[in-house]
Amino acid sequence: MAARIEEQELQRLLERYEAQPEGRLFAPLADAYRRRGDLDEAYRICVDGLSRHSRYSTGYVILGRIHLDREETAEARRAFETVLALDPENLIALRHLARDAEARGRREQAVDRWRQVAELDPDPTEAQERLAALEGEGEPAPTGAGEHLPPDPQDGPAEAEEPLALTGLSEVEEHGDEGASSEEDGP
């Protein structure tokens, strides 16, 4: 029954998107395709939407999750760095980047990110646990199933990745990001 409800949700989102293809409905539609496992369609819709709404941080959160599901860790990292360039207090991006830095053995970056999460998160339990593990004497404990990103063999010695280029700026940049949903309310 859950699959049928998901299919109904996808159909509803698709109809709304087709009625307003220039709007921001691309993000929840791309996420629905991602959750369904159709990563190519999710990616296509997300990239197309971001070409029109390049300052919409929720779109980059979805893009980052699509890249994670496709096991494209470097691309996911760039998407989440772009989220932080747009919204420096985005907890979703901060958590993903903290886990990523930890997985790549970048202890100092991981500590910095987890500290940011601990300061911003209403429930900082995970961040506090990760900080305790990183600041302790022993090896850090695993971050949890499905959350630990494997090291990216193409990583160079650079300390931070460049965010994605924000090209094709739309009216969102000129008038702000009014009406955007909160990252914590969304996917």
Side-chain angles (χ1 to χ4, degrees):
M1 184 167 207
R4 184 155 195 228
I5 292 170
E6 187 175 310
E7 191 63 35
Q8 289 174 345
E9 175 191 0
L10 181 65
Q11 188 60 39
R12 181 184 58 81
L13 288 168
L14 187 56
E15 288 170 6
R16 288 179 60 204
Y17 174 75
E18 288 172 348
Q20 288 187 307
E22 298 300 315
R24 294 184 184 168
L25 293 172
F26 74 89
L29 179 61
D31 194 51
Y33 275 109
R34 179 191 70 84
R35 287 182 282 126
R36 183 180 183 202
D38 191 345
L39 300 179
D40 291 338
E41 185 66 5
Y43 179 81
R44 185 193 66 74
I45 290 169
C46 196
V47 168
D48 181 60
L50 285 169
S51 72
R52 290 185 302 280
H53 299 282
S54 64
R55 309 270 315 158
Y56 187 42
S57 62
T58 300
Y60 287 101
V61 168
I62 303 305
L63 182 61
R65 288 178 170 170
I66 292 166
H67 283 304
L68 285 176
D69 289 351
R70 291 168 68 158
E71 298 181 7
E72 300 166 342
T73 57
E75 292 85 350
R77 185 178 321 112
R78 282 191 292 278
F80 290 122
E81 287 288 352
T82 301
V83 172
L84 290 186
L86 296 167
D87 178 9
E89 295 183 350
N90 185 291
L91 284 168
I92 295 169
L94 286 168
R95 279 190 203 99
H96 282 292
L97 291 170
R99 291 178 189 126
D100 175 72
E102 203 170 335
R104 293 184 308 130
R106 303 222 170 150
R107 184 186 169 281
E108 196 171 308
Q109 280 183 348
V111 167
D112 288 344
R113 295 290 191 208
W114 284 123
R115 282 185 181 144
Q116 289 175 291
V117 171
E119 290 174 13
L120 296 169
D121 197 341
D123 180 12
T125 306
E126 178 189 17
Q128 291 167 344
E129 289 172 357
R130 299 311 311 144
L131 282 169
L134 287 165
E135 292 172 340
E137 294 292 331
E139 288 290 313
T143 58
E147 296 176 349
H148 190 79
L149 300 174
D152 190 338
Q154 297 182 353
D155 281 339
E159 283 300 309
E161 295 288 333
E162 287 295 316
L164 297 172
L166 301 176
T167 58
L169 299 180
S170 66
E171 71 281 352
V172 176
E173 180 186 45
E174 295 171 16
H175 302 292
D177 209 16
E178 302 100 22
S181 64
S182 165
E183 285 3 344
E184 289 303 303
D185 294 339

